[in-house]
Structures are given as C-alpha cells and as structure tokens.
Amino acid sequence: MRHYLLCQIAFGIGLLSVSSFTWAIQSLPEVKALLALQPKLALEQVTSKLDELDNDTLSVNHEVWFAYKEVEITAQIKLGLIEEAITSALVLYATYDPDNFPIYRAKTGLLLAVANQSTSKSQQSLTYLKEAMTLVADKDEPELLADLYANLGRTYRYRADYQQALIYTIRALEIASEIKNTSKQANFHNQIGVIYDYIGNFESALQHHERSLRLQQQLGDQQGMSNSLYNIGEIYRDLNQLTLALSHFRQALVVDKLLGNPIHIANSHGKLAQVNMSLNKLAVAKSHVEQGLALVRAINAPSDISWQLSILASIYLAMDELGQAKSSANEALELAISASAKRTERSVRLTLIEIAFAQQANSDALQQIEVMLSLPGIGRTYQSRLYQLQAALHERNKTFEAAIESHKAYQAVQQQLFEHLNKQQTERLKKSVEVVRQDQELSLLQKEKALQKASLANLELQRGIVILLLLLLFGVLCLIFTRQKQKQRLFDVKAKLLADNLEQKNRLLADVSHELRTPLTALKLSVEALQFNLEPNIERAYTKVHSKISQLDNLIADIYRSAQYDNNVLRLDKEAFSVNALIEDVEQDFIPRYAQNKHRLTVNSQDNVTIELDSERIKQVLINLLNNSLAYTNEGGETRLSMYETQGEIEITVEDSAPGLTDEDLTRVFERLYRCEESRSRDLGGSGLGLSICQQIILAHEGRIYADHSLLGGVKFVVSLPTKSSH
C-alpha cells in the first residue's frame, strides 16, 4: 500500500539537509519491515524518529513526515491502541484538505476506516471509505484503490451484506493481480475465503484460503500464514473436524501472542473456546473466552465483546448456569445490535431462545422465535433449529396442531438444506446454459432489426438450439456420471469397512492367541519340571501352576464377557440404586489393600444420589479402575475417587499420581488387549481386556467413559452416567 512513498521522497531532496534526507531514506524501509513482524518495536522506533525530524521536513517534505505517521498509526492499530491511532489519524485528516492533498486525505481516510473497523463502528468506517474512493477515482493509485475496495468488502462483511462484500473484495483482487502485488493478492484471497465460509460455500472458501497460504509461504509472511491457517481451522470447525480445527487455532494463537495484536489474540481464544465447548471441555472453553473477553473489553470493541459474550453465554448454558447465561446473552445482544453485527446478533438471539426453553419459559421462547424468524436474511440452519424448538414448545404446551405445522416447516427447511449441495454441483452448468440463452436473445434482437437476413437468423437460432440441447445433454451426462461416481465411492467405502473388520478380527485372534500362549508356555514348563522331578520346591511349583491356571481363567472369562457385549447377549439388571452406597461398598473393599501397599485412597461423593443402573456391573467398572490404579501407580502414590452430579449426569472420576500416559496411549487405552508398554506390564497379570469391558458396560448404560491427564501426575478416568435412562 505504501511502496510508492520511497520514490516520492526523492522530490524533496533539495529541501532537506543532507543528513535528514540520508537518514529518512535509510530508516524508512527498516521501520516498514519491522511493522509486519514486530509492530511494537516498529512503533518505538518510528516514534523516536518522528521526534528527530527537523522543521523543514515537516513543513516542506510531506512525503517523509506522512510516511512515518502512516507507519505509526498502522502499528498502533496492530497493537490495539485504537484511541491513540484515531487521535493521530484525525490530526492528519485535519492537516491535509481534499482539494490540495487528495491522496494524503484518502490515505488518512483509509487509516481512520481501519481503526473504526477495529472497534466495530462500521458506519463511520463506511463514510471514510466512500470519501476516499471519491478522491482517488480519477487518480493513478492502483494499490491505494485496491486497499479501499478490500476494506469496503470487509466493512460490508461485518454488516452481514455478503454479496456486496464479495463484489468489492473480488474487485480488489483483480487490481492486485493486474499490478502483480503478491502480498495483497494473498490477503484478498484470504478475505474472499472468509466471505465464502460465512455463506456456507466451504469448497470455494478452502480454495481461496489454500491460494492465500501458498502465496504467504512464498513471501515468508508469518502473520499471513497464521491468518490462512486460522481461517482453514474455522472451516474444519464448521465441518466438525474438531481435532484439526484445534491444532490450527493453537498455532494461530502462538503467532498472535508473538505479534501482540489484541484483536487477533482474542479471536484465537474465542475459536479455541468454541472448539473445546464442542468437545465438552467446558472449563477449558470458559478459560479461553474469559481471556479473550478481557482483551476486547480493554480496547472497547463492541462487536468483538458481543461475540465473546455470546460464546460465554453458550458455555454457561451447557453448564446449566442459566442465570449467568441469560445475563451474558442479553449484554451480547445489546452490543451486537448497537454495532450492527448481524451474524452475532442472530447467534445470540438463538442462544436466548434456548435459555428460555431450558427455563420452561414457553411463551417468552415462542415470542422470541417469531421475532427471529421475521428477521431478513435468516439462514436455513437457523430456521431449522428455530422450527425444531418451536415444535417442541408447542408439544410442551399441548398445542399439537401448531406443533405439527412447526414440524412440517422444519422438514421443509431440512429438505432445502439437503438440496443445497446438489444445487451447488449444477450451478456451473446453469451458468453455461444462461450464457447461451443470453447470446441467443441478442441474436434474435439483431435479426429482428435486419429482416433482410431472416434466413441467416433462423440458421443461427437453430444452431443455438442445438448447442443448448447439447449442453443440456452434457449436463445430464455429467449428473449421471456424478451419481455413478457417488455409487462407486459408496461401494469402495463398504469394501474398505469389510476389509477393516476382517483385519481387526484377524488381529484380535492373533492377540488372543499370543495372550493365551504366554501363560500356557509357562504352565507347560512347570508341569514338565514336576513330571521329571526338576523342581526342588514342589509346593512352589504347584502354586505357580495354580497361578497360571487362574490367569488363563481370568483371560478366558474376560474374552467371554467382551464377546457377550459385542453380541448383545448380556442383559443389564437395572434398578434404582444409591451411587453413594455403591462407592462406599467398593471403598471398604479396597481400604485394606491400599493400606497394605502404602497407597493413599481419597473418596469424595455427594449425598443421596440414586439412579437406574446395574449395580454389580458398575461396581465391576470401579473395581477394575481401582485395581489398575493400585497396580500401576508408583509406591506411596495417591488415588482419588470422586462423584458429583451435573447437567443431568452423574460423573465418577478415578485419578491417580505418576506415572501417567502419553496422548496416544490415552486415545487407545480402551482398545482390546492394548497395553502401554512403558508403564503397563503383562507381568502384573492383567488380561488387557478390563478397560474395554468397562467401556462396553458404560455404553450399555447409555453413558460414556474416557481417559485424560490427571493433575496428580497420573491418569484420570471419567465415567458419566445419565440420571434418567431412556427406554
């Protein structure tokens, strides 16, 4: 945007002292280079250098002074010093009138627009940009014009006018391509990708983000690469590929913290909060959003504050803290409306409806649904959820006819969503047909004006019809080919699944064979020693034989239980049972064993929690987890058994001290016969099926079990059971 300034400085060479001119030429590129990677250091240097500029430079050589002021204001914006940036920019705005200094005035307007965008003042930003566009309309300033178009696109994107945003940003990209400015092309591809992401066109969004990433890699621009990775992470989040999304957002946060822009840091925290909330890691999500919220409150950015508050409200809703959720959502809605942040406003309104639904405030929820459905440009995804909630509310109010109508509307929107992908696939074909149709209309108009060429007009018409029919036939063939490809893909997926199942079965048989062979080999050796009188201690030999037979018996019993669960043979004997009594019973069994091993066992549980469960099976799970903790924790360690009720679930946790497990081990610890070789040894007598059986028992109770790192230094197993079982 500002590369031409070095050339303009040359015109003032005669009016500068030799030292001032030499200093200005040498220092400005260095400061600009710092601006991209270390904006804080760039601001310090440019502030110092502005103080050193002499009066001649300020009064005559506007190019030099303006160039440094431009870097100063840009650095302030990057660092979130928005008030300081606006104050400095307003000084420039008053200094350069539009008649005598149209370019400086336009550049200053661009700086003010960017600063106002940072605080979500889209209308002020739009005013400055339109004035700047008028000033450069007849000037040869392609780089400045490209930046103005791009920022117009960004402003309209903030106002949820995605069609206008796309038009302006594509125009900016065209100009950047004409002047071969790779840096701007990369940035504009990134902006276009964001717009396509917002309107749900993920394919086009990914294409533009990947182009941006390639260009940024060529340039070695770390911030640019971070922006592209951040936006690709957002698409992965929309596609529910949460692990990939988490990885991209974490990388973006590291770079953002290095560069120091509070808006970027807050955005990364917000995205990490959303992904962790989707993974049900609510405490981690809340920590991220609180950090992001503190940053945007410090710089008073209403739109960003509203977005962070909307995430916080959703987290409180997931935690069943409805009062906190409603308070955060109401504040978010007020800020979103004042900042014209349409996208955030719709999200917050939906959150408020879900809060009212959870609070049984049926009338309020229905009223809010009607208001939201009446908003212009409401997306199908929002409509689908709104009709679903509306139907549930009517059912709750026993107004069944209205509920049926809401269900019909929900089904209709779902059908539209389903058809959207097919429409995207045929869009290019439709555009081609439309081009042919328009060409044909033009041909007909020309022939009507020239009656003497009627025969030629008829020939052109026939040819056009043939082309149209051929295009339609080609389109039909394309659709048939696409369907066949989809069928072939489905067949390949099924074949792969069958192959995977066979491979898993063979691997399981091999693992079981290996597990059985180990104790059998030891047993055979012991029997042969007895047979040939090679064992001096007969009693110890029989004890060893008995131990190996018990080990085989346990392994076969575990394999049998696992097979019963796989084949749905084993039935649960559920009844209302006190979870506290069950935990107390298990605790009494393990107290002597833990004391014998000099291992500390701590139990914390709530009172009077009774749910429907098979007590013997759940006890089997707890015994297995405590046995594992006792067997695999270092001597003198600690185990904590806790239980509490939250969000319609009972959570029972068993965590212990070192040693712990790696991330890979945590993801595979429930696999049959899987052992973590570094810390879990076959010599301890386990079959390798215990945790797999525990998982099957919990799934049979419609619950879930997972492993995580423990704050004590070891492993934490979490068992979640619903307080009300479904039938």
Side-chain angles (χ1 to χ4, degrees):
M1 171 179 163
R2 298 181 288 273
H3 300 296
Y4 66 95
L5 290 172
L6 289 175
C7 299
Q8 291 180 328
I9 291 173
F11 290 108
I13 190 169
L15 301 172
L16 281 170
S17 66
V18 173
S19 60
S20 294
F21 180 76
T22 303
W23 167 82
I25 290 293
Q26 293 177 348
S27 300
L28 187 57
E30 297 174 3
V31 174
K32 285 185 175 182
L34 279 176
L35 183 62
L37 298 176
Q38 295 178 283
K40 185 176 181 180
L41 183 58
L43 180 60
E44 292 174 358
Q45 291 195 11
V46 79
T47 302
S48 173
K49 293 181 186 299
L50 279 169
D51 293 337
E52 297 174 12
L53 283 172
D54 56 36
N55 292 330
D56 288 340
T57 303
L58 298 178
S59 61
V60 180
N61 292 279
H62 300 281
E63 297 88 350
V64 177
W65 184 63
F66 186 88
Y68 278 99
K69 292 297 292 183
E70 193 174 26
V71 173
E72 177 189 43
I73 295 168
T74 303
Q76 288 170 338
I77 294 172
K78 284 178 173 288
L79 294 170
L81 306 173
I82 306 303
E83 292 185 5
E84 292 90 332
I86 291 177
T87 301
S88 299
L90 286 173
V91 171
L92 288 180
Y93 194 74
T95 301
Y96 296 108
D97 64 89
D99 294 328
N100 295 317
F101 302 97
I103 301 302
Y104 292 154
R105 177 75 166 217
K107 290 180 180 179
T108 307
L110 176 60
L111 291 171
L112 284 167
V114 173
N116 278 281
Q117 284 174 1
S118 299
T119 54
S120 307
K121 297 176 182 177
S122 60
Q123 187 55 51
Q124 292 93 321
S125 176
L126 197 59
T127 301
Y128 284 121
L129 289 170
K130 287 183 176 179
E131 181 196 21
M133 288 290 294
T134 303
L135 291 171
V136 300
D138 57 347
K139 304 293 189 297
D140 184 19
E141 293 286 339
E143 290 193 2
L144 177 57
L145 190 61
D147 286 333
L148 289 171
Y149 274 122
N151 279 278
L152 277 169
R154 185 180 289 109
T155 301
Y156 279 107
R157 190 186 82 207
Y158 291 159
R159 297 163 70 96
D161 189 347
Y162 301 126
Q163 189 61 36
Q164 282 294 108
L166 199 58
I167 291 171
Y168 283 121
T169 315
I170 288 175
R171 181 62 186 129
L173 178 60
E174 291 172 350
I175 295 173
S177 300
E178 290 170 3
I179 62 177
K180 295 181 172 55
N181 189 315
T182 306
S183 177
K184 292 188 186 300
Q185 289 179 57
N187 292 332
F188 300 157
H189 273 301
N190 188 51
Q191 290 184 40
I192 293 171
V194 172
I195 298 169
Y196 275 125
D197 183 19
Y198 281 2
I199 62 179
N201 189 341
F202 299 132
E203 180 183 358
S204 297
L206 275 173
Q207 289 175 356
H208 282 281
H209 285 315
E210 287 169 355
R211 290 175 190 169
S212 174
L213 183 58
R214 286 195 297 270
L215 293 172
Q216 299 288 11
Q217 288 171 336
Q218 293 173 13
L219 296 168
D221 186 343
Q222 294 296 322
Q223 180 64 74
M225 284 187 279
S226 174
N227 292 341
S228 296
L229 290 169
Y230 172 96
N231 290 315
I232 292 172
E234 176 68 1
I235 294 174
Y236 281 133
R237 187 180 75 88
D238 292 337
L239 294 173
N240 205 35
Q241 297 184 27
L242 301 181
T243 303
L244 287 171
L246 202 62
S247 172
H248 284 81
F249 290 140
R250 282 173 177 167
Q251 293 177 54
L253 180 60
V254 171
V255 176
D256 293 338
K257 285 183 176 179
L258 179 66
L259 297 176
N261 188 317
I263 293 292
H264 290 173
I265 298 171
N267 285 343
S268 294
H269 275 302
K271 293 301 179 183
L272 284 167
Q274 288 179 326
V275 176
N276 278 288
M277 181 170 61
S278 299
L279 293 169
N280 203 32
K281 296 182 178 179
L282 301 181
V284 178
K286 186 169 179 286
S287 172
H288 277 295
V289 79
E290 285 173 345
Q291 293 179 66
L293 188 57
L295 289 168
V296 293
R297 283 193 189 279
I299 61 174
N300 191 27
S303 178
D304 294 282
I305 296 172
S306 173
W307 180 63
Q308 298 280 353
L309 283 169
S310 71
I311 300 171
L312 183 60
S314 298
I315 294 171
Y316 278 131
L317 178 60
M319 298 171 72
D320 205 27
E321 296 180 16
L322 302 182
Q324 292 274 30
K326 188 171 183 179
S327 174
S328 299
N330 281 329
E331 184 183 356
L333 180 61
E334 182 179 345
L335 288 168
I337 293 173
S338 66
S340 298
K342 301 295 184 183
R343 185 180 175 89
T344 304
E345 177 189 347
R346 293 164 187 169
S347 175
V348 174
R349 286 186 182 277
L350 182 57
T351 302
L352 280 168
I353 292 168
E354 290 179 336
I355 293 170
F357 183 86
Q359 291 178 328
Q360 303 286 325
N362 299 347
S363 299
D364 184 28
L366 285 169
Q367 184 178 0
Q368 291 186 56
I369 288 173
E370 291 296 334
V371 171
M372 192 169 178
L373 285 171
S374 66
L375 294 176
I378 191 76
R380 293 191 185 97
T381 304
Y382 283 112
Q383 290 178 17
S384 174
R385 180 59 179 155
L386 290 170
Y387 284 127
Q388 190 178 32
L389 288 169
Q390 189 181 60
L393 288 165
H394 283 311
E395 288 179 12
R396 188 184 286 174
N397 290 338
K398 300 189 184 305
T399 53
F400 297 113
E401 292 185 1
I404 291 172
E405 292 301 318
S406 298
H407 274 300
K408 289 180 179 178
Y410 168 74
Q411 293 296 334
V413 173
Q414 287 292 99
Q415 181 64 27
Q416 291 173 0
L417 285 170
F418 177 77
E419 292 172 352
H420 182 66
L421 290 176
N422 289 334
K423 288 183 179 178
Q424 282 186 336
Q425 293 176 354
T426 57
E427 189 64 30
R428 292 178 181 177
L429 177 62
K430 288 182 179 179
K431 288 181 180 179
S432 298
V433 173
E434 180 65 18
V435 170
V436 174
R437 186 187 64 80
Q438 292 175 354
D439 289 343
Q440 186 60 48
E441 287 181 353
L442 179 61
S443 177
L444 287 173
L445 288 173
Q446 291 173 343
K447 301 309 179 286
E448 288 176 358
K449 293 179 180 179
L451 294 176
Q452 67 276 19
K453 298 180 180 179
S455 59
L456 180 61
N458 288 333
L459 181 61
E460 290 293 329
L461 177 61
Q462 291 173 9
R463 186 173 65 179
I465 292 173
V466 170
I467 293 173
L468 179 60
L469 290 174
L470 289 174
L471 284 172
L472 290 173
L473 178 60
F474 176 73
V476 172
L477 291 174
C478 286
L479 288 174
I480 293 173
F481 177 75
T482 302
R483 290 290 179 87
Q484 288 299 118
K485 289 285 288 183
Q486 289 174 343
K487 288 180 180 179
Q488 182 62 38
R489 195 176 296 119
L490 180 60
F491 176 80
D492 292 342
V493 169
K494 288 181 178 179
K496 186 177 184 304
L497 287 174
L498 288 173
D500 289 343
N501 287 337
L502 182 59
E503 181 183 354
Q504 290 175 4
K505 179 180 178 182
N506 290 336
R507 187 166 60 248
L508 178 60
L509 289 173
D511 290 342
V512 169
S513 174
H514 179 72
E515 294 292 334
L516 289 172
R517 186 182 298 114
T518 301
L520 281 173
T521 301
L523 184 60
K524 181 181 177 183
L525 291 173
S526 297
V527 171
E528 288 177 350
L530 286 170
Q531 181 181 1
F532 296 105
N533 296 319
L534 299 176
E535 176 60 59
N537 191 331
I538 302 300
E539 183 178 349
R540 185 179 65 182
Y542 278 115
T543 301
K544 187 174 182 181
V545 168
H546 183 269
S547 172
K548 293 303 176 182
I549 291 174
S550 296
Q551 188 176 346
L552 279 170
D553 183 56
N554 289 335
L555 176 59
I556 293 169
D558 283 346
I559 293 172
Y560 176 69
R561 291 190 194 100
S562 181
Q564 283 183 311
Y565 283 108
D566 284 346
N567 297 310
N568 294 319
V569 174
L570 186 63
R571 298 187 181 276
L572 297 178
D573 185 13
K574 286 188 178 182
E575 60 179 352
F577 200 87
S578 169
V579 182
N580 310 79
L582 188 148
I583 290 176
E584 183 178 352
D585 189 15
V586 174
E587 178 189 5
Q588 293 304 316
D589 289 342
F590 275 87
I591 286 176
R593 297 178 58 192
Y594 272 76
Q596 182 180 358
N597 290 332
K598 299 179 181 180
H599 195 99
R600 188 165 64 258
L601 174 62
T602 306
V603 178
N604 298 308
S605 62
Q606 295 179 348
D607 296 329
N608 302 322
V609 180
T610 301
I611 63 174
E612 292 277 339
L613 51 77
D614 185 330
S615 59
E616 291 302 318
R617 296 298 175 188
I618 298 300
K619 186 182 294 185
Q620 179 184 349
V621 172
L622 296 181
I623 289 172
N624 187 284
L625 294 178
L626 289 173
N627 275 330
N628 281 353
S629 178
L630 185 60
Y632 301 127
T633 306
N634 292 337
E635 183 178 351
E638 178 184 358
T639 299
R640 291 181 185 173
L641 172 60
S642 306
M643 183 275 289
Y644 57 93
E645 183 177 6
T646 178
Q647 301 176 18
E649 288 184 336
I650 296 294
E651 282 205 359
I652 303 173
T653 62
V654 177
E655 56 182 324
D656 53 36
S657 52
L661 295 177
T662 65
D663 290 340
E664 180 184 0
D665 287 336
L666 288 175
T667 61
R668 300 188 59 192
V669 76
F670 292 102
E671 294 180 12
R672 289 188 181 95
L673 303 174
Y674 178 76
R675 286 189 175 88
C676 312
E677 294 301 335
E678 294 181 0
S679 60
R680 312 281 166 158
S681 170
R682 183 177 286 105
D683 295 337
L684 293 172
S687 67
L689 291 168
L691 288 177
S692 175
I693 292 173
C694 288
Q695 184 182 53
Q696 291 169 318
I697 291 173
I698 297 305
L699 290 175
H701 280 80
E702 300 175 0
R704 55 196 174 88
I705 181 172
Y706 62 90
D708 204 344
H709 297 290
S710 170
L711 296 178
L712 299 176
V715 184
K716 176 181 179 182
F717 288 95
V718 181
V719 175
S720 296
L721 296 171
T723 55
K724 294 182 180 179
S725 60
S726 60
H727 300 283

